[in-house]
Amino acid sequence: MAGNNNDLMRGNPPGILLIRSMRRKDWSLKTYKYVVLLITFIAYTSYHASRKPSSIVKSVLHPHPFLNETFSNPWPIGPIFAKKETLGPTDLGKSRKKGWEPFNDDDGTSKLGEIDVAFLACYSIGMYVAGHLGDSLDLRLFLTTGMIGSGIFVGLFGMGYFWKVHAFWFYLLMQMVAGLFQATGWPSVVAVIGNWFGKRKRGLIMGIWNAHTSVGNISGSLMAAGVLEYGWGWSFIVPGGFIFFAGIMVYLLLPAYPEDVGFPCPNRPSSEDSLSPINDEEAQRVKENMGENGQSYNVPRVGSGSRTSVGLIDACLIPGVIPFALCLFFSKLVAYTFLYWLPFYLSRTAIGGEYVSVKSAGNLSALFDVGGIVGGILAGHLSDKLDARATTAASFMYAAIPSMLLYRKYGGASKFMNIFLMMIAGLFVNGPYALITTAVSADLGTHSSLKGDSRALATVTAIIDGTGSMGAALGPLLTGFLSTKGWDAVFIMLVVGALSAGLLLSRLVLVELSEKFSKRLACGQHNNGGSASQPLLRDQR
């Protein structure tokens, strides 16, 4: 009985306690890592899925004045492309005009942009608070609360359809509160991954893991589009239910810290005199020496809520945090403009001489995120291989510029060309965004200046992603206004954003390239290859 109470006090998830009692033995460290990767993957997939509905229903709330669409089975069940047809007005909520009040007036696109910026502004502001709280509280409980709260308020937005709410303030308020709850997600999941995984191959591992962003966008698009014909409210309620139940799964099964289940943290020194992180084999031996079935844990308690967190100012002083945060501001401005407005753009742009329905536009936009999955993995792998995070991120941002211009110019030529260029743009736009918010944040959150105190993980992640989210709020807001003047103006904004993101990393790129050149020069002069300077993110002063 005392042992069970000890487990509960240490933040051991109830589901793992149940599985352990049924199996009569504990999981290995490798198994725990797989579990952590899977659960955090599902968790953040649900976060992004719950953000996607607003982009899907934009063209329903504020439809084209002359065109309406027929509904069919969503992709991949039905065709990606479905033609729009000129039909009589469709009753979308007993409103006198097509669309949904208050979004069906001439200023509808501006109001939709304001809804987006309200969500993202609260998300950005909440991120700074959430990061500090994530380093101070139990990450599992903190993440669970955020997910359940997000599910409730995303669902309440959709209930406006069934309650026949036409007040703008209601939808604005629901998005603002949902944004605050959603801010808990990213700092928490990155901190959990950083707690469990050391720096070796972190870029590749987190690049693959970061596919949850694109998988969430795709699944959110499919869920929202799949139930759209039954009323746009369902497009919010279904993804809201997904994140709600995913939050319950996190509470039951996610061990936020290795110490919670008896393993030492990989980011902490194995002894006072050694700065080498503990590897899997060493950690497994430590666990096995502590007693059979994990009944006697004596690991130094640095898990759920026992460490002091690093302050925001101290975290900002970590070398590389500010440049990457500012870079992410513009990177997310570009990425979130596509996230929130690509379906709307597709429904208003002729592709091969044809217009597509709202549902088909939502399904088609998912292919942008397919390219994003490849981009995230490729950026992570290259940054590991080259040991140059800043150079990789900047190169992708520069490559995004011609890819977006080509998509704007030739995307309407044919269906194949649209899909191909959209996926290429997704690869270069989402690659650096994924790299900075995962591997770079984790690297900086466990920087050598912190002396192994990984409780800066959530704080550093929040600073970087919170600053990025300000750009994510600005992009969709500007798009709401610029789209009324023509889509060329929107793409000019995206090009300027991508260029700015790359230029902000110029100093870090020069430092990385200088280190590489010095290392090669040293290797050329000394066959034994004297000690090279350490990578930028670890030892830049």
Side-chain angles (χ1 to χ4, degrees), residues 296-500:
S296 177
Y297 297 154
N298 294 310
V299 173
R301 191 70 194 127
V302 286
S304 310
S306 63
R307 276 195 219 143
T308 58
S309 60
V310 173
L312 284 173
I313 295 177
D314 291 335
C316 287
L317 295 177
I318 296 172
V321 168
I322 297 301
F324 275 111
L326 294 175
C327 171
L328 191 64
F329 176 93
F330 290 101
S331 178
K332 286 192 77 169
L333 182 151
V334 176
Y336 269 65
T337 298
F338 277 99
L339 174 66
Y340 280 92
W341 285 94
L342 183 56
F344 187 84
Y345 171 76
L346 289 167
S347 68
R348 299 297 180 93
T349 305
I351 302 173
E354 300 175 354
Y355 286 88
V356 298
S357 70
V358 175
K359 176 180 285 189
S360 295
N363 294 330
L364 179 60
S365 68
L367 297 175
F368 179 86
D369 293 293
V370 173
I373 293 175
V374 178
I377 296 172
L378 183 61
H381 176 66
L382 288 176
S383 70
D384 277 344
K385 201 80 173 173
L386 301 174
D387 197 13
R389 307 281 198 220
T391 304
T392 304
S395 299
F396 270 66
M397 289 311 309
Y398 292 138
I401 295 173
S403 70
M404 291 187 295
L405 293 176
L406 288 171
Y407 178 66
R408 171 59 182 159
K409 185 170 181 62
Y410 298 107
S414 67
K415 297 173 182 178
F416 170 80
M417 190 64 71
N418 189 284
I419 292 174
F420 176 73
L421 292 176
M422 184 193 303
M423 293 178 70
I424 295 297
L427 185 152
F428 288 116
V429 168
N430 283 349
Y433 162 41
L435 177 65
I436 295 171
T437 54
T438 54
V440 170
S441 295
D443 286 352
L444 294 172
T446 54
H447 193 271
S448 59
S449 64
L450 298 169
K451 299 178 182 178
D453 187 358
S454 62
R455 290 309 289 273
L457 273 167
T459 303
V460 169
T461 302
I463 291 170
I464 293 176
D465 203 47
T467 304
S469 296
M470 292 181 184
L474 181 62
L477 176 66
L478 291 176
T479 303
F481 294 104
L482 292 175
S483 62
T484 61
K485 303 179 184 300
W487 288 103
D488 286 338
V490 174
F491 276 83
I492 290 173
M493 177 193 74
L494 296 176
V495 167
V496 171
L499 179 62
S500 300

Side-chain angles (χ1 to χ4, degrees), residues 127 130-131 139 182-192 457-459 461-462 465:
M127 184 78 71
L139 282 171
Q182 291 256 328
T184 61
W186 192 240
S188 299
V189 294
V190 172
V192 170
L457 273 167
T459 303
T461 302
D465 203 47

Side-chain angles (χ1 to χ4, degrees), residues 85-345:
E85 297 179 6
T86 304
L87 300 172
T90 300
D91 187 3
L92 291 170
K94 309 296 187 289
S95 175
R96 292 182 179 180
K97 294 186 288 185
K98 290 194 299 180
W100 187 269
E101 296 179 3
F103 303 106
N104 58 349
D105 293 326
D106 293 337
D107 62 347
T109 55
S110 296
K111 285 183 176 178
L112 290 169
E114 290 169 18
I115 288 286
D116 290 341
V117 79
F119 172 87
L120 291 166
C122 289
Y123 176 80
S124 176
I125 294 169
M127 184 78 71
Y128 294 100
V129 179
H132 185 70
L133 290 176
D135 281 333
S136 305
L137 305 175
D138 188 324
L139 282 171
R140 177 173 60 90
L141 299 180
F142 186 61
L143 186 58
T144 299
T145 302
M147 294 176 73
I148 290 176
S150 296
I152 290 171
F153 282 93
V154 169
L156 285 175
F157 189 103
M159 288 303 298
Y161 171 81
F162 299 100
W163 294 338
K164 297 177 173 59
V165 177
H166 298 286
F168 178 68
W169 67 263
F170 172 82
Y171 300 105
L172 190 69
L173 181 62
M174 292 304 102
Q175 285 289 75
M176 291 173 69
V177 179
L180 290 174
F181 276 106
Q182 291 256 328
T184 61
W186 192 240
S188 299
V189 294
V190 172
V192 170
I193 293 297
N195 289 336
W196 277 93
F197 293 88
K199 294 184 178 180
R200 184 171 178 268
K201 293 186 178 180
R202 180 179 275 167
L204 178 59
I205 291 172
M206 298 190 88
I208 297 172
W209 171 76
N210 192 65
H212 54 50
T213 299
S214 297
V215 171
N217 291 340
I218 293 169
S219 60
S221 296
L222 296 180
M223 280 189 276
V227 296
L228 188 60
E229 62 188 290
Y230 304 108
W232 64 259
W234 286 110
S235 295
F236 286 87
I237 292 173
V238 173
F242 176 32
I243 191 173
F244 183 94
F245 288 107
I248 295 175
M249 179 196 67
V250 165
Y251 173 76
L252 293 175
L253 294 172
L254 179 65
Y257 310 90
E259 301 94 331
D260 286 340
V261 288
F263 291 101
C265 178
N267 294 316
R268 289 188 66 83
S270 56
S271 68
E272 293 295 329
D273 301 322
S274 174
L275 293 178
S276 301
I278 299 173
N279 60 34
D280 287 9
E281 293 76 13
E282 290 171 334
Q284 190 70 50
R285 286 199 300 272
V286 170
K287 177 70 175 288
E288 290 169 354
N289 291 335
M290 288 176 186
E292 187 69 18
N293 297 335
Q295 295 299 313
S296 177
Y297 297 154
N298 294 310
V299 173
R301 191 70 194 127
V302 286
S304 310
S306 63
R307 276 195 219 143
T308 58
S309 60
V310 173
L312 284 173
I313 295 177
D314 291 335
C316 287
L317 295 177
I318 296 172
V321 168
I322 297 301
F324 275 111
L326 294 175
C327 171
L328 191 64
F329 176 93
F330 290 101
S331 178
K332 286 192 77 169
L333 182 151
V334 176
Y336 269 65
T337 298
F338 277 99
L339 174 66
Y340 280 92
W341 285 94
L342 183 56
F344 187 84
Y345 171 76

Side-chain angles (χ1 to χ4, degrees), residues 34-56:
Y34 286 137
V35 169
V36 168
L37 283 172
L38 178 62
I39 294 176
T40 52
F41 186 95
I42 295 173
Y44 213 69
T45 293
S46 69
Y47 270 99
H48 262 263
S50 67
R51 297 174 194 172
K52 195 65 179 177
S54 64
S55 68
I56 301 299

